[in-house]
Amino acid sequence: MTVNGAVKPGYEGVREAFGDLIEATTGGAAFSVFRDGAPVVELWGGSAADGVPWTEDTRAVLFSGTKGVVATVLAILTAQGKLDPDERVARYWPEFAAAGKEDVPVSQVLSHTVGLPYVEPDLPMLDNAANAEALSSQRPLWTPGTKVAYHALTYGYLATELARRVTGADLGVLVRDLLAEPHGLDLRLGTPPTVPVATLRRAPGYRISTFLQDEERRRIVERMYRGLLDSGDSMNSPEYRGATLAAGGAVGTATAMARLYDLLRSGGLVPADVLGRATRTWSEGIDAINDRPLRFGLGFELADPIGTYGPADADPAAFGHSGAGGGRHGAWPARGLSFSFVTNELQAEDVDHRASSLLAALHEAA
């Protein structure tokens, strides 16, 4: 398949690595890199849907790449003095104090240590308000702050309600007003059905939580994800894209995401001290449910032992957020670089080397 786009001199190895993955895909993908405010890599190829080629402007569902977008909004609210990570959640959201959560700080919600990885009882996935209300009265699975486990969907319900409590606004509106419109980013949380988006497809053998071997905890994982990634109908539905699901429902282009992290890295969105606080280590260890090594800031993933953000010596201060099926978005702040890989072909983590190969090539080039 043809690789489209361009790279600046010195980044030819990135183009070669991208060509290899496009040749092997049944879908499409794009990779964008900014360096010190300017694009140095803009590549795309493959198909966005049956009979529809991927173009420079093709949008993709970001899945959990959305969490990095939301973390950016919350960092802006922190810089504005509206949200304090050290403050108790219950100060902003009094109902959250139920079931022994009265002293839980905002930081534990954002660093995946609060102990609320699923909603009890099961409620419609797209209903932010109902799920937030249920979580406010729910007892954590462990003493908050003592364990780390990825809150795949509940992170979004909790973050959405926190943002609403301190601003009165929906998170989709905040993404539009604080990020997309002022900076010209093709990025949405809550996408109208009239906006074209790449059709998602699952590669043969696709599965989640590939680090997990324990079957009892796998049932917890199934409850956490609610079958979303098992069904093309669910994840491709206009209802899913239209809902403002802050854990995984945003839609955007690779260029928009790379530009977002460039703005964040360079101080264009929040002051350096706020970003430094948001991207220092707030939790790390082996996921208490999924057995995967984790390291989190305040909503951002950080460089980890399994190389999510590139080779070990790429940038120890790397931050960003990955997404189900292969998406990878973030920054190497020490090197002035930001990047985004988006795709519509979901591959299992233990066999998916696409983003890692691109970051390795970028490391060599930069």
Side-chain angles (χ1 to χ4, degrees):
M1 283 188 280
T2 302
V3 172
N4 301 291
V7 300
K8 295 294 185 183
Y11 293 87
E12 293 84 1
V14 177
R15 185 185 184 99
E16 182 177 342
F18 186 79
D20 289 343
L21 73 86
I22 287 296
E23 193 63 35
T25 190
T26 62
F31 188 51
S32 176
V33 180
F34 278 66
R35 185 163 205 170
D36 296 326
V40 294
V41 174
E42 293 285 0
L43 298 170
W44 62 91
S47 62
D50 290 341
V52 180
W54 199 288
T55 71
E56 183 178 11
D57 300 322
T58 295
R59 306 171 189 89
V61 175
L62 302 175
F63 288 120
S64 286
T66 306
K67 293 183 175 73
V69 176
V70 171
T72 301
V73 170
L74 297 179
I76 292 173
L77 298 182
T78 299
Q80 293 175 344
K82 296 176 180 176
L83 186 68
D84 182 351
D86 292 327
E87 184 56 79
R88 296 177 306 113
V89 174
R91 175 191 165 190
Y92 308 112
W93 180 3
E95 297 89 338
F96 192 82
K101 303 192 299 299
E102 60 274 5
D103 294 324
V104 170
V106 170
S107 61
Q108 290 178 357
V109 169
L110 302 186
S111 61
H112 298 261
T113 64
V114 70
L116 298 169
Y118 58 79
V119 180
E120 177 70 52
D122 288 338
L123 295 168
M125 181 178 61
L126 305 185
D127 192 333
N128 280 313
N131 281 282
E133 182 180 3
L135 288 167
S136 72
S137 61
Q138 191 169 317
R139 186 168 298 278
L141 293 186
W142 56 78
T143 301
T146 62
K147 296 180 181 180
V148 58
Y150 187 50
H151 287 47
L153 291 180
T154 56
Y155 168 92
Y157 303 134
L158 295 167
T160 295
E161 188 64 17
L162 269 171
R164 188 183 72 81
R165 295 285 176 140
V166 302
T167 68
D170 179 86
L171 252 175
V173 172
L174 295 173
V175 168
R176 182 195 68 196
D177 292 350
L178 298 177
L179 300 178
E181 288 193 351
H183 300 287
L185 304 178
D186 192 342
L187 178 65
R188 294 171 177 82
L189 180 59
T191 302
T194 53
V195 174
V197 181
T199 301
L200 297 161
R201 62 186 75 189
R202 300 163 77 249
Y206 176 73
R207 61 211 183 285
I208 59 174
S209 302
T210 58
F211 284 79
L212 178 60
Q213 302 300 321
D214 184 279
E215 288 306 313
E216 183 174 345
R217 279 184 283 132
R218 183 163 293 281
R219 287 193 288 273
I220 296 177
V221 170
E222 291 168 356
R223 188 169 189 181
M224 287 166 58
Y225 285 92
R226 307 192 195 184
L228 169 66
L229 302 175
D230 297 334
S231 168
D233 291 340
S234 294
M235 61 188 179
N236 281 307
S237 69
E239 292 78 14
Y240 177 73
R241 296 194 300 266
T244 54
L245 289 182
V251 166
T253 64
T255 299
M257 289 298 287
R259 176 66 174 147
L260 173 70
Y261 278 100
D262 177 69
L263 288 165
L264 191 56
R265 173 205 60 77
S266 64
L269 295 175
V270 297
D273 62 327
V274 174
L275 180 63
R277 191 181 186 196
T279 58
R280 73 169 174 83
T281 303
W282 287 79
S283 65
E284 64 181 324
I286 302 299
D287 190 308
I289 295 172
N290 277 299
D291 293 334
R292 186 187 191 276
L294 299 176
R295 185 167 166 247
F296 284 108
L298 296 174
F300 294 107
E301 290 179 335
L302 308 180
D304 58 32
I306 58 175
T308 301
Y309 290 91
D313 57 344
D315 186 348
F319 68 93
H321 216 291
S322 56
R328 199 84 53 88
H329 325 276
W332 294 344
R335 302 172 71 174
L337 287 163
S338 64
F339 50 84
S340 173
F341 172 70
V342 299
T343 180
N344 63 342
E345 182 188 54
L346 279 65
Q347 295 186 11
E349 185 175 24
D350 59 342
V351 298
D352 185 7
H353 306 295
R354 294 171 296 176
S356 294
S357 70
L358 292 170
L359 293 181
L362 180 61
H363 176 51
E364 290 296 320

PDB file of all heavy atoms in Angstrom, residues 69-103:
ATOM      1  N   VAL A  69      -6.250  13.720  26.774  1.00  0.00           N
ATOM      2  CA  VAL A  69      -6.957  14.961  26.447  1.00  0.00           C
ATOM      3  C   VAL A  69      -7.658  15.498  27.695  1.00  0.00           C
ATOM      4  O   VAL A  69      -7.571  16.693  28.019  1.00  0.00           O
ATOM      5  CB  VAL A  69      -7.982  14.720  25.324  1.00  0.00           C
ATOM      6  CG1 VAL A  69      -8.784  15.983  25.036  1.00  0.00           C
ATOM      7  CG2 VAL A  69      -7.289  14.216  24.060  1.00  0.00           C
ATOM      8  N   VAL A  70      -8.328  14.612  28.406  1.00  0.00           N
ATOM      9  CA  VAL A  70      -9.039  15.002  29.623  1.00  0.00           C
ATOM     10  C   VAL A  70      -8.061  15.457  30.702  1.00  0.00           C
ATOM     11  O   VAL A  70      -8.303  16.449  31.402  1.00  0.00           O
ATOM     12  CB  VAL A  70      -9.919  13.843  30.115  1.00  0.00           C
ATOM     13  CG1 VAL A  70     -10.503  14.128  31.492  1.00  0.00           C
ATOM     14  CG2 VAL A  70     -11.035  13.579  29.107  1.00  0.00           C
ATOM     15  N   ALA A  71      -6.935  14.754  30.833  1.00  0.00           N
ATOM     16  CA  ALA A  71      -5.915  15.164  31.805  1.00  0.00           C
ATOM     17  C   ALA A  71      -5.417  16.573  31.499  1.00  0.00           C
ATOM     18  O   ALA A  71      -5.115  17.358  32.411  1.00  0.00           O
ATOM     19  CB  ALA A  71      -4.754  14.175  31.795  1.00  0.00           C
ATOM     20  N   THR A  72      -5.333  16.912  30.216  1.00  0.00           N
ATOM     21  CA  THR A  72      -4.918  18.258  29.824  1.00  0.00           C
ATOM     22  C   THR A  72      -5.948  19.288  30.257  1.00  0.00           C
ATOM     23  O   THR A  72      -5.600  20.354  30.797  1.00  0.00           O
ATOM     24  CB  THR A  72      -4.708  18.323  28.302  1.00  0.00           C
ATOM     25  OG1 THR A  72      -3.709  17.365  27.923  1.00  0.00           O
ATOM     26  CG2 THR A  72      -4.262  19.708  27.877  1.00  0.00           C
ATOM     27  N   VAL A  73      -7.224  18.997  30.033  1.00  0.00           N
ATOM     28  CA  VAL A  73      -8.283  19.907  30.484  1.00  0.00           C
ATOM     29  C   VAL A  73      -8.218  20.093  31.999  1.00  0.00           C
ATOM     30  O   VAL A  73      -8.308  21.229  32.508  1.00  0.00           O
ATOM     31  CB  VAL A  73      -9.667  19.374  30.063  1.00  0.00           C
ATOM     32  CG1 VAL A  73     -10.785  20.175  30.745  1.00  0.00           C
ATOM     33  CG2 VAL A  73      -9.827  19.436  28.556  1.00  0.00           C
ATOM     34  N   LEU A  74      -8.034  19.010  32.741  1.00  0.00           N
ATOM     35  CA  LEU A  74      -7.988  19.112  34.200  1.00  0.00           C
ATOM     36  C   LEU A  74      -6.760  19.888  34.658  1.00  0.00           C
ATOM     37  O   LEU A  74      -6.808  20.610  35.669  1.00  0.00           O
ATOM     38  CB  LEU A  74      -8.006  17.715  34.815  1.00  0.00           C
ATOM     39  CG  LEU A  74      -9.280  16.899  34.529  1.00  0.00           C
ATOM     40  CD1 LEU A  74      -9.191  15.519  35.173  1.00  0.00           C
ATOM     41  CD2 LEU A  74     -10.532  17.635  34.997  1.00  0.00           C
ATOM     42  N   ALA A  75      -5.650  19.774  33.925  1.00  0.00           N
ATOM     43  CA  ALA A  75      -4.463  20.567  34.253  1.00  0.00           C
ATOM     44  C   ALA A  75      -4.739  22.058  34.031  1.00  0.00           C
ATOM     45  O   ALA A  75      -4.287  22.909  34.815  1.00  0.00           O
ATOM     46  CB  ALA A  75      -3.275  20.109  33.411  1.00  0.00           C
ATOM     47  N   ILE A  76      -5.487  22.380  32.975  1.00  0.00           N
ATOM     48  CA  ILE A  76      -5.864  23.779  32.733  1.00  0.00           C
ATOM     49  C   ILE A  76      -6.740  24.285  33.873  1.00  0.00           C
ATOM     50  O   ILE A  76      -6.555  25.405  34.377  1.00  0.00           O
ATOM     51  CB  ILE A  76      -6.586  23.911  31.379  1.00  0.00           C
ATOM     52  CG1 ILE A  76      -5.612  23.628  30.235  1.00  0.00           C
ATOM     53  CG2 ILE A  76      -7.193  25.306  31.232  1.00  0.00           C
ATOM     54  CD1 ILE A  76      -6.275  23.574  28.870  1.00  0.00           C
ATOM     55  N   LEU A  77      -7.697  23.461  34.314  1.00  0.00           N
ATOM     56  CA  LEU A  77      -8.562  23.862  35.432  1.00  0.00           C
ATOM     57  C   LEU A  77      -7.752  24.033  36.709  1.00  0.00           C
ATOM     58  O   LEU A  77      -8.046  24.908  37.533  1.00  0.00           O
ATOM     59  CB  LEU A  77      -9.673  22.832  35.633  1.00  0.00           C
ATOM     60  CG  LEU A  77     -10.641  22.647  34.466  1.00  0.00           C
ATOM     61  CD1 LEU A  77     -11.715  21.622  34.816  1.00  0.00           C
ATOM     62  CD2 LEU A  77     -11.267  23.974  34.041  1.00  0.00           C
ATOM     63  N   THR A  78      -6.717  23.224  36.877  1.00  0.00           N
ATOM     64  CA  THR A  78      -5.820  23.386  38.024  1.00  0.00           C
ATOM     65  C   THR A  78      -5.080  24.711  37.933  1.00  0.00           C
ATOM     66  O   THR A  78      -4.973  25.452  38.920  1.00  0.00           O
ATOM     67  CB  THR A  78      -4.820  22.221  38.078  1.00  0.00           C
ATOM     68  OG1 THR A  78      -5.538  20.992  38.237  1.00  0.00           O
ATOM     69  CG2 THR A  78      -3.854  22.386  39.236  1.00  0.00           C
ATOM     70  N   ALA A  79      -4.565  25.028  36.747  1.00  0.00           N
ATOM     71  CA  ALA A  79      -3.858  26.287  36.556  1.00  0.00           C
ATOM     72  C   ALA A  79      -4.778  27.485  36.793  1.00  0.00           C
ATOM     73  O   ALA A  79      -4.325  28.545  37.248  1.00  0.00           O
ATOM     74  CB  ALA A  79      -3.282  26.349  35.148  1.00  0.00           C
ATOM     75  N   GLN A  80      -6.065  27.318  36.504  1.00  0.00           N
ATOM     76  CA  GLN A  80      -7.040  28.388  36.722  1.00  0.00           C
ATOM     77  C   GLN A  80      -7.491  28.495  38.175  1.00  0.00           C
ATOM     78  O   GLN A  80      -8.271  29.389  38.522  1.00  0.00           O
ATOM     79  CB  GLN A  80      -8.258  28.160  35.827  1.00  0.00           C
ATOM     80  CG  GLN A  80      -7.980  28.298  34.339  1.00  0.00           C
ATOM     81  CD  GLN A  80      -9.185  27.946  33.484  1.00  0.00           C
ATOM     82  OE1 GLN A  80     -10.156  27.324  33.957  1.00  0.00           O
ATOM     83  NE2 GLN A  80      -9.145  28.318  32.211  1.00  0.00           N
ATOM     84  N   GLY A  81      -7.014  27.583  39.018  1.00  0.00           N
ATOM     85  CA  GLY A  81      -7.383  27.613  40.429  1.00  0.00           C
ATOM     86  C   GLY A  81      -8.725  27.004  40.738  1.00  0.00           C
ATOM     87  O   GLY A  81      -9.240  27.139  41.864  1.00  0.00           O
ATOM     88  N   LYS A  82      -9.312  26.296  39.777  1.00  0.00           N
ATOM     89  CA  LYS A  82     -10.627  25.701  39.980  1.00  0.00           C
ATOM     90  C   LYS A  82     -10.568  24.291  40.550  1.00  0.00           C
ATOM     91  O   LYS A  82     -11.576  23.799  41.080  1.00  0.00           O
ATOM     92  CB  LYS A  82     -11.395  25.682  38.654  1.00  0.00           C
ATOM     93  CG  LYS A  82     -11.684  27.069  38.109  1.00  0.00           C
ATOM     94  CD  LYS A  82     -12.360  27.017  36.754  1.00  0.00           C
ATOM     95  CE  LYS A  82     -12.628  28.424  36.228  1.00  0.00           C
ATOM     96  NZ  LYS A  82     -13.211  28.404  34.864  1.00  0.00           N
ATOM     97  N   LEU A  83      -9.436  23.634  40.420  1.00  0.00           N
ATOM     98  CA  LEU A  83      -9.293  22.245  40.859  1.00  0.00           C
ATOM     99  C   LEU A  83      -7.924  22.078  41.506  1.00  0.00           C
ATOM    100  O   LEU A  83      -6.912  22.529  40.948  1.00  0.00           O
ATOM    101  CB  LEU A  83      -9.425  21.303  39.664  1.00  0.00           C
ATOM    102  CG  LEU A  83      -9.453  19.806  39.940  1.00  0.00           C
ATOM    103  CD1 LEU A  83     -10.745  19.424  40.677  1.00  0.00           C
ATOM    104  CD2 LEU A  83      -9.359  19.019  38.632  1.00  0.00           C
ATOM    105  N   ASP A  84      -7.888  21.432  42.667  1.00  0.00           N
ATOM    106  CA  ASP A  84      -6.634  21.193  43.375  1.00  0.00           C
ATOM    107  C   ASP A  84      -6.460  19.690  43.556  1.00  0.00           C
ATOM    108  O   ASP A  84      -7.275  19.044  44.221  1.00  0.00           O
ATOM    109  CB  ASP A  84      -6.669  21.885  44.742  1.00  0.00           C
ATOM    110  CG  ASP A  84      -5.375  21.714  45.525  1.00  0.00           C
ATOM    111  OD1 ASP A  84      -4.507  20.926  45.103  1.00  0.00           O
ATOM    112  OD2 ASP A  84      -5.238  22.373  46.566  1.00  0.00           O
ATOM    113  N   PRO A  85      -5.417  19.083  42.980  1.00  0.00           N
ATOM    114  CA  PRO A  85      -5.227  17.631  43.111  1.00  0.00           C
ATOM    115  C   PRO A  85      -5.096  17.157  44.552  1.00  0.00           C
ATOM    116  O   PRO A  85      -5.398  15.996  44.848  1.00  0.00           O
ATOM    117  CB  PRO A  85      -3.925  17.382  42.329  1.00  0.00           C
ATOM    118  CG  PRO A  85      -3.848  18.510  41.364  1.00  0.00           C
ATOM    119  CD  PRO A  85      -4.419  19.694  42.079  1.00  0.00           C
ATOM    120  N   ASP A  86      -4.647  18.037  45.456  1.00  0.00           N
ATOM    121  CA  ASP A  86      -4.487  17.640  46.857  1.00  0.00           C
ATOM    122  C   ASP A  86      -5.767  17.793  47.669  1.00  0.00           C
ATOM    123  O   ASP A  86      -5.845  17.317  48.803  1.00  0.00           O
ATOM    124  CB  ASP A  86      -3.376  18.465  47.514  1.00  0.00           C
ATOM    125  CG  ASP A  86      -2.008  18.145  46.950  1.00  0.00           C
ATOM    126  OD1 ASP A  86      -1.778  16.974  46.580  1.00  0.00           O
ATOM    127  OD2 ASP A  86      -1.163  19.059  46.867  1.00  0.00           O
ATOM    128  N   GLU A  87      -6.753  18.454  47.090  1.00  0.00           N
ATOM    129  CA  GLU A  87      -8.006  18.681  47.806  1.00  0.00           C
ATOM    130  C   GLU A  87      -8.860  17.412  47.793  1.00  0.00           C
ATOM    131  O   GLU A  87      -8.755  16.566  46.918  1.00  0.00           O
ATOM    132  CB  GLU A  87      -8.760  19.841  47.148  1.00  0.00           C
ATOM    133  CG  GLU A  87     -10.039  20.260  47.849  1.00  0.00           C
ATOM    134  CD  GLU A  87      -9.818  20.623  49.306  1.00  0.00           C
ATOM    135  OE1 GLU A  87      -9.355  21.743  49.568  1.00  0.00           O
ATOM    136  OE2 GLU A  87     -10.096  19.756  50.164  1.00  0.00           O
ATOM    137  N   ARG A  88      -9.702  17.263  48.792  1.00  0.00           N
ATOM    138  CA  ARG A  88     -10.623  16.135  48.852  1.00  0.00           C
ATOM    139  C   ARG A  88     -11.660  16.239  47.724  1.00  0.00           C
ATOM    140  O   ARG A  88     -12.187  17.320  47.453  1.00  0.00           O
ATOM    141  CB  ARG A  88     -11.341  16.100  50.193  1.00  0.00           C
ATOM    142  CG  ARG A  88     -10.449  15.869  51.397  1.00  0.00           C
ATOM    143  CD  ARG A  88     -11.236  15.930  52.703  1.00  0.00           C
ATOM    144  NE  ARG A  88     -11.989  17.167  52.814  1.00  0.00           N
ATOM    145  CZ  ARG A  88     -13.317  17.249  52.796  1.00  0.00           C
ATOM    146  NH1 ARG A  88     -14.058  16.148  52.681  1.00  0.00           N
ATOM    147  NH2 ARG A  88     -13.934  18.420  52.913  1.00  0.00           N
ATOM    148  N   VAL A  89     -11.945  15.105  47.087  1.00  0.00           N
ATOM    149  CA  VAL A  89     -12.987  15.071  46.068  1.00  0.00           C
ATOM    150  C   VAL A  89     -14.298  15.601  46.645  1.00  0.00           C
ATOM    151  O   VAL A  89     -15.043  16.333  45.988  1.00  0.00           O
ATOM    152  CB  VAL A  89     -13.175  13.637  45.531  1.00  0.00           C
ATOM    153  CG1 VAL A  89     -14.359  13.572  44.567  1.00  0.00           C
ATOM    154  CG2 VAL A  89     -11.910  13.136  44.852  1.00  0.00           C
ATOM    155  N   ALA A  90     -14.586  15.236  47.893  1.00  0.00           N
ATOM    156  CA  ALA A  90     -15.856  15.596  48.515  1.00  0.00           C
ATOM    157  C   ALA A  90     -16.036  17.100  48.687  1.00  0.00           C
ATOM    158  O   ALA A  90     -17.162  17.575  48.848  1.00  0.00           O
ATOM    159  CB  ALA A  90     -15.989  14.907  49.870  1.00  0.00           C
ATOM    160  N   ARG A  91     -14.951  17.854  48.637  1.00  0.00           N
ATOM    161  CA  ARG A  91     -15.112  19.314  48.697  1.00  0.00           C
ATOM    162  C   ARG A  91     -15.861  19.815  47.470  1.00  0.00           C
ATOM    163  O   ARG A  91     -16.681  20.731  47.557  1.00  0.00           O
ATOM    164  CB  ARG A  91     -13.744  19.986  48.780  1.00  0.00           C
ATOM    165  CG  ARG A  91     -13.843  21.508  48.727  1.00  0.00           C
ATOM    166  CD  ARG A  91     -12.512  22.186  48.542  1.00  0.00           C
ATOM    167  NE  ARG A  91     -12.683  23.585  48.148  1.00  0.00           N
ATOM    168  CZ  ARG A  91     -11.699  24.363  47.732  1.00  0.00           C
ATOM    169  NH1 ARG A  91     -10.466  23.898  47.651  1.00  0.00           N
ATOM    170  NH2 ARG A  91     -11.937  25.616  47.383  1.00  0.00           N
ATOM    171  N   TYR A  92     -15.569  19.237  46.332  1.00  0.00           N
ATOM    172  CA  TYR A  92     -16.216  19.638  45.082  1.00  0.00           C
ATOM    173  C   TYR A  92     -17.502  18.855  44.821  1.00  0.00           C
ATOM    174  O   TYR A  92     -18.409  19.346  44.153  1.00  0.00           O
ATOM    175  CB  TYR A  92     -15.269  19.410  43.901  1.00  0.00           C
ATOM    176  CG  TYR A  92     -13.902  20.020  44.071  1.00  0.00           C
ATOM    177  CD1 TYR A  92     -12.778  19.217  44.213  1.00  0.00           C
ATOM    178  CD2 TYR A  92     -13.734  21.405  44.089  1.00  0.00           C
ATOM    179  CE1 TYR A  92     -11.515  19.774  44.360  1.00  0.00           C
ATOM    180  CE2 TYR A  92     -12.475  21.972  44.238  1.00  0.00           C
ATOM    181  CZ  TYR A  92     -11.362  21.147  44.377  1.00  0.00           C
ATOM    182  OH  TYR A  92     -10.110  21.703  44.528  1.00  0.00           O
ATOM    183  N   TRP A  93     -17.550  17.639  45.348  1.00  0.00           N
ATOM    184  CA  TRP A  93     -18.612  16.683  45.038  1.00  0.00           C
ATOM    185  C   TRP A  93     -19.018  16.024  46.355  1.00  0.00           C
ATOM    186  O   TRP A  93     -18.562  14.928  46.662  1.00  0.00           O
ATOM    187  CB  TRP A  93     -18.051  15.676  44.032  1.00  0.00           C
ATOM    188  CG  TRP A  93     -18.927  14.581  43.540  1.00  0.00           C
ATOM    189  CD1 TRP A  93     -20.237  14.346  43.816  1.00  0.00           C
ATOM    190  CD2 TRP A  93     -18.509  13.528  42.661  1.00  0.00           C
ATOM    191  NE1 TRP A  93     -20.674  13.223  43.180  1.00  0.00           N
ATOM    192  CE2 TRP A  93     -19.632  12.705  42.446  1.00  0.00           C
ATOM    193  CE3 TRP A  93     -17.311  13.201  42.042  1.00  0.00           C
ATOM    194  CZ2 TRP A  93     -19.558  11.558  41.645  1.00  0.00           C
ATOM    195  CZ3 TRP A  93     -17.243  12.078  41.245  1.00  0.00           C
ATOM    196  CH2 TRP A  93     -18.364  11.271  41.036  1.00  0.00           C
ATOM    197  N   PRO A  94     -19.824  16.670  47.158  1.00  0.00           N
ATOM    198  CA  PRO A  94     -20.103  16.203  48.521  1.00  0.00           C
ATOM    199  C   PRO A  94     -20.608  14.761  48.597  1.00  0.00           C
ATOM    200  O   PRO A  94     -20.265  14.032  49.545  1.00  0.00           O
ATOM    201  CB  PRO A  94     -21.159  17.195  49.017  1.00  0.00           C
ATOM    202  CG  PRO A  94     -20.885  18.436  48.231  1.00  0.00           C
ATOM    203  CD  PRO A  94     -20.466  17.960  46.873  1.00  0.00           C
ATOM    204  N   GLU A  95     -21.402  14.324  47.635  1.00  0.00           N
ATOM    205  CA  GLU A  95     -21.958  12.970  47.667  1.00  0.00           C
ATOM    206  C   GLU A  95     -20.875  11.886  47.601  1.00  0.00           C
ATOM    207  O   GLU A  95     -21.094  10.749  48.018  1.00  0.00           O
ATOM    208  CB  GLU A  95     -22.933  12.775  46.504  1.00  0.00           C
ATOM    209  CG  GLU A  95     -24.153  13.696  46.549  1.00  0.00           C
ATOM    210  CD  GLU A  95     -23.919  15.014  45.837  1.00  0.00           C
ATOM    211  OE1 GLU A  95     -22.751  15.418  45.664  1.00  0.00           O
ATOM    212  OE2 GLU A  95     -24.923  15.644  45.451  1.00  0.00           O
ATOM    213  N   PHE A  96     -19.716  12.244  47.102  1.00  0.00           N
ATOM    214  CA  PHE A  96     -18.625  11.277  46.963  1.00  0.00           C
ATOM    215  C   PHE A  96     -18.087  10.813  48.323  1.00  0.00           C
ATOM    216  O   PHE A  96     -17.408   9.784  48.406  1.00  0.00           O
ATOM    217  CB  PHE A  96     -17.491  11.889  46.132  1.00  0.00           C
ATOM    218  CG  PHE A  96     -16.448  10.906  45.694  1.00  0.00           C
ATOM    219  CD1 PHE A  96     -16.646  10.111  44.577  1.00  0.00           C
ATOM    220  CD2 PHE A  96     -15.253  10.772  46.396  1.00  0.00           C
ATOM    221  CE1 PHE A  96     -15.679   9.197  44.167  1.00  0.00           C
ATOM    222  CE2 PHE A  96     -14.275   9.870  45.995  1.00  0.00           C
ATOM    223  CZ  PHE A  96     -14.496   9.068  44.873  1.00  0.00           C
ATOM    224  N   ALA A  97     -18.389  11.528  49.366  1.00  0.00           N
ATOM    225  CA  ALA A  97     -17.872  11.186  50.695  1.00  0.00           C
ATOM    226  C   ALA A  97     -18.453   9.888  51.248  1.00  0.00           C
ATOM    227  O   ALA A  97     -17.967   9.358  52.250  1.00  0.00           O
ATOM    228  CB  ALA A  97     -18.158  12.326  51.673  1.00  0.00           C
ATOM    229  N   ALA A  98     -19.484   9.338  50.617  1.00  0.00           N
ATOM    230  CA  ALA A  98     -20.134   8.120  51.110  1.00  0.00           C
ATOM    231  C   ALA A  98     -19.180   6.930  51.072  1.00  0.00           C
ATOM    232  O   ALA A  98     -18.184   6.913  50.341  1.00  0.00           O
ATOM    233  CB  ALA A  98     -21.369   7.826  50.267  1.00  0.00           C
ATOM    234  N   ALA A  99     -19.504   5.919  51.873  1.00  0.00           N
ATOM    235  CA  ALA A  99     -18.814   4.621  51.867  1.00  0.00           C
ATOM    236  C   ALA A  99     -17.322   4.737  52.138  1.00  0.00           C
ATOM    237  O   ALA A  99     -16.498   4.050  51.527  1.00  0.00           O
ATOM    238  CB  ALA A  99     -19.063   3.898  50.541  1.00  0.00           C
ATOM    239  N   GLY A 100     -16.963   5.624  53.049  1.00  0.00           N
ATOM    240  CA  GLY A 100     -15.576   5.720  53.479  1.00  0.00           C
ATOM    241  C   GLY A 100     -14.663   6.502  52.560  1.00  0.00           C
ATOM    242  O   GLY A 100     -13.433   6.439  52.697  1.00  0.00           O
ATOM    243  N   LYS A 101     -15.230   7.308  51.645  1.00  0.00           N
ATOM    244  CA  LYS A 101     -14.397   8.041  50.685  1.00  0.00           C
ATOM    245  C   LYS A 101     -14.268   9.524  51.035  1.00  0.00           C
ATOM    246  O   LYS A 101     -13.832  10.323  50.198  1.00  0.00           O
ATOM    247  CB  LYS A 101     -14.974   7.900  49.269  1.00  0.00           C
ATOM    248  CG  LYS A 101     -15.131   6.448  48.795  1.00  0.00           C
ATOM    249  CD  LYS A 101     -15.436   6.342  47.310  1.00  0.00           C
ATOM    250  CE  LYS A 101     -16.720   7.022  46.896  1.00  0.00           C
ATOM    251  NZ  LYS A 101     -17.934   6.478  47.536  1.00  0.00           N
ATOM    252  N   GLU A 102     -14.612   9.885  52.273  1.00  0.00           N
ATOM    253  CA  GLU A 102     -14.647  11.302  52.603  1.00  0.00           C
ATOM    254  C   GLU A 102     -13.284  11.990  52.512  1.00  0.00           C
ATOM    255  O   GLU A 102     -13.193  13.195  52.277  1.00  0.00           O
ATOM    256  CB  GLU A 102     -15.234  11.512  54.010  1.00  0.00           C
ATOM    257  CG  GLU A 102     -14.468  10.832  55.139  1.00  0.00           C
ATOM    258  CD  GLU A 102     -14.889   9.383  55.359  1.00  0.00           C
ATOM    259  OE1 GLU A 102     -15.713   8.868  54.560  1.00  0.00           O
ATOM    260  OE2 GLU A 102     -14.398   8.765  56.325  1.00  0.00           O
ATOM    261  N   ASP A 103     -12.193  11.240  52.679  1.00  0.00           N
ATOM    262  CA  ASP A 103     -10.867  11.856  52.649  1.00  0.00           C
ATOM    263  C   ASP A 103     -10.097  11.587  51.362  1.00  0.00           C
ATOM    264  O   ASP A 103      -8.912  11.921  51.263  1.00  0.00           O
ATOM    265  CB  ASP A 103     -10.040  11.360  53.842  1.00  0.00           C
ATOM    266  CG  ASP A 103     -10.602  11.836  55.169  1.00  0.00           C
ATOM    267  OD1 ASP A 103     -11.111  12.978  55.217  1.00  0.00           O
ATOM    268  OD2 ASP A 103     -10.559  11.065  56.146  1.00  0.00           O
TER     269      ASP A 103
END
